[in-house]
Amino acid sequence: MGSILSLIQRWLKANILEDGELYPNEEGTPQGGSISVLLSNVYLHYVLDLWFERVVKPRLRGEAYMVRYIDDFVLCFQYRADALRVQKALCQRLAKFALTLEPTKSKLVEFGRYAQKHACKRGRKRPETVYFLGFTLYCTLNRKGNFRVGLRTEKSRLQRALLRLQDQMRRMRHFSLREQADKLNQMLRGHYVYYGIAGNIRGLQRVHRAVERYWRIMLGSRSWTGQICWRQFQQIKERFPLVRPKLHLRYSELPAIAVL
C-alpha cells in the first residue's frame, strides 16, 4: 500500500511540459496523465456521489438520480424546486474542494414526458436538449406513444469524427487498397461500437456514406485522370468492403428509465 501511495505522489508532483520547458505542478492531476482518470473518479466519489446519495436525496421532495462518468455528470429531478435547491448547494459543495462547474456546459433543462407540452405553452416547438458523453439527448415517443429518451451523435463530435477520418485518408493516400480498407474498417468499428445505440442509426449511416465519398475522392486523386468512375469504385468496394453500420445497444437493452 505504501508503494502505491508513493507512486501516486510522484504522479501528482510530476512537472508539466509546455513548449519544450518544464514547469512545476502545484495543484491538480497532470492533464492527460495515465493516473488522472482514476484519481478524478476516486475524488468525485467522495465529493459528489456519496454526498448526493446520503445528504441530498433524503432531503428532497421527489425522486432524484445522478449519472456520472469521471467528471461529467447529469442530475435528474422530479420537481423543479428540488433542482434549484441542489443547483445552489452543488456550487457550494464543489467550492469546498476547490472545484467549479464549467459555465458553458452547465444548465438547467426541463426534460421528460411533460416537457413537450410545457415547451408549446412557452411558444417553443420542442424542448431543450442535453449533451452528455458525445450524445444529444432529446425528448421523443416510442411506438406506443410513451415518453422515451432519444439519443443521437452530438453535432460537434460527428464533425470531429469526419475530420479525423479525412485526415487519416490523406495520410494513407499511397497505401495499398487492402491496407486502406483495413484501417478505415478499424476506425468505423470503433465509431459504431461507441455510437451504435438504438435510435442513432442515421448518424452511423451518415459517417459510412461520408467515408465512402471521401475514399472515392482520395482514390481518384491517385489517378492520372483525377477521378475514378462509379463502376470502378463499386468493384473496389466488392473486393475490399467497408463495414456497414450496426447497432450494438438496442431498445430492449436500454435502461428502463430511458424508455418509460
Side-chain angles (χ1 to χ4, degrees), residues 1-259:
M1 187 65 180
S3 60
I4 295 178
L5 294 177
S6 176
L7 186 58
I8 292 176
Q9 290 178 353
R10 292 183 182 182
W11 260 310
L12 294 176
K13 294 180 180 179
N15 294 332
I16 300 174
L17 180 63
E18 186 175 348
D19 297 330
E21 296 186 9
L22 289 174
Y23 297 91
N25 182 27
E26 299 179 356
E27 60 181 10
T29 59
Q31 184 70 23
S34 56
I35 197 64
S36 299
V37 174
L38 175 61
L39 294 181
S40 298
N41 217 15
V42 173
Y43 194 68
L44 287 178
H45 174 70
Y46 293 96
V47 174
L48 192 60
D49 298 353
L50 296 182
W51 172 75
F52 186 77
E53 289 293 329
R54 299 177 181 179
V55 179
V56 174
K57 290 181 68 173
R59 302 181 182 182
L60 299 180
R61 175 188 170 196
E63 296 183 26
Y65 304 92
M66 181 177 67
V67 181
R68 183 178 69 83
Y69 181 78
I70 309 177
D71 59 348
D72 290 329
F73 60 92
V74 174
L75 300 179
C76 309
F77 301 93
Q78 183 177 3
Y79 298 110
R80 178 182 176 84
D82 288 341
L84 293 173
R85 287 179 56 196
V86 176
Q87 184 181 34
K88 182 178 180 180
L90 178 62
C91 294
Q92 298 174 351
R93 173 67 178 180
L94 295 178
K96 292 181 179 179
F97 299 89
L99 299 174
T100 57
L101 292 174
E102 174 59 45
T104 60
K105 298 181 179 179
S106 305
K107 62 178 180 179
L108 187 64
V109 176
E110 183 177 7
F111 201 90
R113 66 186 67 185
Y114 304 113
Q116 180 65 57
K117 180 174 66 176
H118 295 166
C120 292
K121 290 182 179 179
R122 300 189 185 98
R124 296 175 57 92
K125 293 183 179 180
R126 58 182 63 89
E128 292 186 75
T129 56
V130 177
Y131 304 105
F132 187 55
L133 301 180
F135 287 93
T136 298
L137 282 65
Y138 60 95
C139 299
T140 185
L141 301 176
N142 59 18
R143 294 181 179 179
K144 296 181 179 180
N146 299 323
F147 170 76
R148 178 176 63 81
V149 178
L151 297 101
R152 60 173 178 263
T153 308
E154 187 182 342
K155 290 183 178 179
S156 61
R157 293 293 185 93
L158 182 60
Q159 187 65 26
R160 191 187 310 173
L162 295 178
L163 291 175
R164 187 169 61 252
L165 285 164
Q166 282 183 285
D167 181 67
Q168 179 61 38
M169 278 186 266
R170 284 193 295 267
R171 293 174 181 269
M172 63 182 187
R173 183 190 305 271
H174 301 292
F175 290 10
S176 68
L177 291 177
R178 183 177 298 279
E179 290 177 323
Q180 291 181 15
D182 290 344
K183 186 63 178 178
L184 289 176
N185 283 331
Q186 181 183 2
M187 299 182 70
L188 285 173
R189 288 191 189 95
H191 186 85
Y192 296 160
V193 168
Y194 187 85
Y195 291 102
I197 191 169
N200 195 34
I201 188 64
R202 290 184 178 180
L204 304 186
Q205 292 172 341
R206 181 178 176 183
V207 171
H208 184 270
R209 290 194 299 267
V211 170
E212 284 192 332
R213 183 169 63 252
Y214 296 151
W215 195 22
R216 183 186 176 193
I217 293 173
M218 188 264 295
L219 292 176
S221 68
R222 305 198 315 177
S223 173
W224 67 275
T225 61
Q227 61 181 350
I228 182 172
C229 69
W230 185 252
R231 180 178 59 81
Q232 289 177 306
F233 185 60
Q234 290 299 321
Q235 292 175 349
I236 293 174
K237 288 200 304 177
E238 289 177 4
R239 187 176 179 185
F240 306 104
L242 295 178
V243 179
R244 303 292 301 180
K246 178 182 178 182
L247 295 179
H248 290 265
L249 190 62
R250 303 185 180 278
Y251 286 119
S252 59
E253 301 171 321
L254 291 175
I257 191 173
V259 295

